[in-house]
Amino acid sequence: MSKTERAVSEEVFRALASATRLDILHWLKDPARNFGHQEIGDFDVEGVCVSVIQERTGLSQPAVSAHLKILYQAKLLTRQKIGHWHFYKRDDEEIKRFLDTLAEAL
């Protein structure tokens, strides 16, 4: 494993070290089932709005935003801004790449 791959892996492990962040990743795998609906945006196109994720977690908006930022920085999520709203989706390609790298390293 290269230094770059190791650094990326460490960032992903830190991101996954939270039960809340693991829940968010799980819920985003099937947003229609896990979030019901949202007023603006399509789950499959834009992703899930922060306010919808916040409602599901029961946490404050700043706490949810902090969790999403960590997942985004670890490249586990993509983000799109529409107007005043931020939408997040899983980055399944990056998740697969991380898992493949981990499998090779171990």
Side-chain angles (χ1 to χ4, degrees), residues 11-81:
E11 190 169 9
V12 172
F13 281 123
R14 281 192 295 274
L16 298 176
S18 160
T20 299
R21 291 191 289 271
L22 288 172
D23 285 342
I24 290 169
L25 278 174
H26 173 75
W27 296 332
L28 290 174
K29 192 170 187 174
D30 188 356
R33 183 173 66 115
N34 292 306
F35 296 105
H37 73 285
Q38 62 186 1
E39 296 293 319
I40 299 168
D42 182 279
F43 289 139
D44 295 326
V45 178
E46 291 86 13
V48 180
C49 185
V50 173
S51 62
V52 174
I53 297 169
Q54 177 194 354
E55 185 177 315
R56 176 74 195 257
T57 64
L59 299 173
S60 69
Q61 188 275 330
V64 171
S65 290
H67 284 299
L68 292 169
K69 180 179 179 181
I70 290 167
L71 290 167
Y72 175 74
Q73 289 175 333
K75 297 184 168 75
L76 298 172
L77 299 180
T78 61
R79 178 177 63 198
Q80 182 175 353
K81 184 177 180 185

Side-chain angles (χ1 to χ4, degrees), residues 73-105:
Q73 289 175 333
K75 297 184 168 75
L76 298 172
L77 299 180
T78 61
R79 178 177 63 198
Q80 182 175 353
K81 184 177 180 185
I82 301 173
H84 298 286
W85 300 278
H86 286 91
F87 295 82
Y88 288 86
K89 289 172 51 174
R90 286 168 49 109
D91 190 335
D92 287 324
E93 287 183 29
E94 275 300 317
I95 292 170
K96 183 181 180 332
R97 189 169 308 141
F98 165 73
L99 293 173
D100 290 346
T101 302
L102 182 62
E104 287 178 23

